[in-house]
Amino acid sequence: DTAVSQTPKYLVTQMGNDKSIKCEQNLGHDTMYWYKQDSKKFLKIMFSYNNKELIINETVPNRFSPKSPDKAHLNLHINSLELGDSAVYFCASSWGLGPNTGELFFGEGSRLTVL
Amino acid sequence: SQQGEEDPQALSIQEGENATMNCSYKTSINNLQWYRQNSGRGLVHLILIRSNEREKHSGRLRVTLDTSKKSSSLLITASRAADTASYFCATGEIQGAQKLVFGQGTRLTINP
């Protein structure tokens, strides 16, 4: 069983569209994250949730809206997609309140291409 | 937000040789973690070293941490072709909400 699974793996869409990426973890972790990896492989945290509560909200455009229906799921909805949103989006999870407790477990990534 | 910087950005060595990657950071940390990313895949945790530790081993991996210099190194001994990947250091910051801040990684290529 995949510990952290995210769908879809690939997403190609036009500018201006709205899209969602879903993430589920079956590890029983309390905290989930969204990271964005750009074309230079730089990974930047976007959001984190602990037990469905938003903990971290980095400087991310309002077009990005995370939703955590329960502590095993964290989805990312993106409105009015722009060319600069093209990247690989990674979901991750960890125990406790965050990485001071231990390691992060990452999904395989969702590659978003905006045309 | 603060990030680590890996050095070198790319490293190419022969199979069997040792590979050393370095990471520098700027803020006080709770811990420092190393991750591996194979091409087109997610990140996989390798090792975590806490701020009160100086050295840690895991199999062929050896990590050192020097908090006075705000730097860490990852040594992979007796490298194998399967070690070809990008390696990232990430710091768990003390200030504010808990988050891991990643560097840009070192691209390691092991030549058979």
Side-chain angles (χ1 to χ4, degrees), chain A:
Chain A
D1 279 347
T2 305
V4 181
S5 59
Q6 47 184 117
T7 57
K9 190 170 174 62
Y10 300 98
L11 197 50
V12 181
T13 188
Q14 299 288 330
M15 253 193 330
N17 284 351
D18 303 338
K19 289 294 176 187
S20 292
I21 307 171
K22 295 186 175 182
C23 179
E24 175 182 3
Q25 55 96 3
N26 62 7
L27 298 166
H29 287 166
D30 303 300
T31 302
M32 296 184 72
Y33 312 80
W34 280 112
Y35 276 85
K36 178 181 179 181
Q37 187 173 45
D38 63 23
S39 58
K40 295 183 179 179
K41 302 294 187 188
F42 176 46
L43 264 162
K44 185 170 170 57
I45 189 168
M46 301 173 69
F47 304 102
S48 79
Y49 272 76
N50 177 264
N51 280 320
K52 303 192 295 177
E53 181 185 346
L54 181 65
I55 300 296
I56 292 173
N57 184 349
E58 292 289 282
T59 309
V60 177
N62 289 341
R63 301 181 294 103
F64 290 79
S65 53
K67 276 195 173 58
S68 182
D70 55 61
K71 78 171 196 176
H73 295 85
L74 180 61
N75 304 323
L76 182 65
H77 187 76
I78 315 170
N79 290 325
S80 303
L81 279 157
E82 300 176 358
L83 292 176
D85 297 332
S86 295
V88 182
Y89 292 84
F90 285 98
C91 177
S93 68
S94 69
W95 292 110
L97 280 172
N100 290 356
T101 310
E103 68 198 84
L104 269 60
F105 291 75
F106 281 83
E108 290 292 289
S110 296
R111 180 176 292 275
L112 172 64
T113 302
V114 182
L115 303 175

Side-chain angles (χ1 to χ4, degrees), chain B residues 6-41:
Chain B
E6 280 95 338
D7 171 53
Q9 291 191 3
L11 179 62
S12 181
I13 61 174
Q14 294 302 120
E15 197 166 18
E17 293 180 340
N18 296 341
T20 299
M21 289 159 270
N22 302 298
C23 168
S24 62
Y25 58 91
K26 294 181 182 175
T27 62
S28 296
I29 62 171
N30 173 282
N31 65 71
L32 186 143
Q33 303 183 27
W34 285 90
Y35 288 79
R36 184 186 74 222
Q37 184 180 32
N38 287 72
S39 183
R41 305 295 299 273

Side-chain angles (χ1 to χ4, degrees), chain B residues 57-90:
Chain B
H57 297 255
S58 177
R60 293 183 297 113
L61 305 181
R62 172 178 167 249
V63 167
T64 62
L65 178 64
D66 186 335
T67 52
S68 67
K69 294 181 179 177
K70 291 187 166 60
S71 68
S72 173
S73 68
L74 170 67
L75 168 67
I76 304 175
T77 60
S79 63
R80 305 167 181 169
D83 294 329
T84 294
S86 291
Y87 291 82
F88 294 85
C89 73

